Amino acid sequence: MYAISTRSRTARLIAEHPVLQEAIGGCLSVHALYRFTRKLRAHKPLLDAFLGRVATSLREHLPGYGQDIAIDASDLPAFANGQRYLRKNGPERERFSDPDAS
């Protein structure tokens, strides 16, 4: 539904939408979201099985579900240094942590 890249953005979204808070049982803190993510990772096989059952159920009601894929052109945050120079008016970098970041 939302492609949210950080827990803090997720917490702000929840805080701004009372109906969403009602659906998930309250307004969650950033720390609670991190704990929830850790628990999801610890139970990955159960989560995968659940998502598989949801997809199967959707296919029963929407026969074409899962046949096509749509990709948007949203940018993705990058945390690599793509700066050309080591510092302002300084020498150019000899190597980059991610050559595509620039």
Side-chain angles (χ1 to χ4, degrees), residues 58-67:
L58 284 170
R59 273 193 228 65
E60 290 173 6
H61 297 288
L62 304 168
Y65 178 79
Q67 290 179 353

Side-chain angles (χ1 to χ4, degrees), residues 52-88:
R53 287 193 307 272
V54 169
T56 299
S57 177
L58 284 170
R59 273 193 228 65
E60 290 173 6
H61 297 288
L62 304 168
Y65 178 79
Q67 290 179 353
D68 297 318
I69 184 169
I71 300 173
D72 68 8
S74 298
D75 65 328
L76 298 174
F79 299 98
N81 189 343
Q83 298 298 319
R84 181 175 179 179
Y85 299 98
L86 287 173
R87 60 185 171 279
K88 188 174 182 178

Side-chain angles (χ1 to χ4, degrees), residues 3 9 11 13 18 22 24 26 34-35 43-45 56 59 64 67-68 70 75 77 82 86-87 89 94 99-100:
R9 289 176 75 185
L13 175 73
E22 185 179 329
I24 63 174
Y34 274 104
R35 289 191 306 271
H43 296 93
K44 187 174 180 336
T56 299
R59 273 193 228 65
Q67 290 179 353
D68 297 318
D75 65 328
L86 287 173
R87 60 185 171 279
N89 299 322
E94 291 183 21
D100 296 327

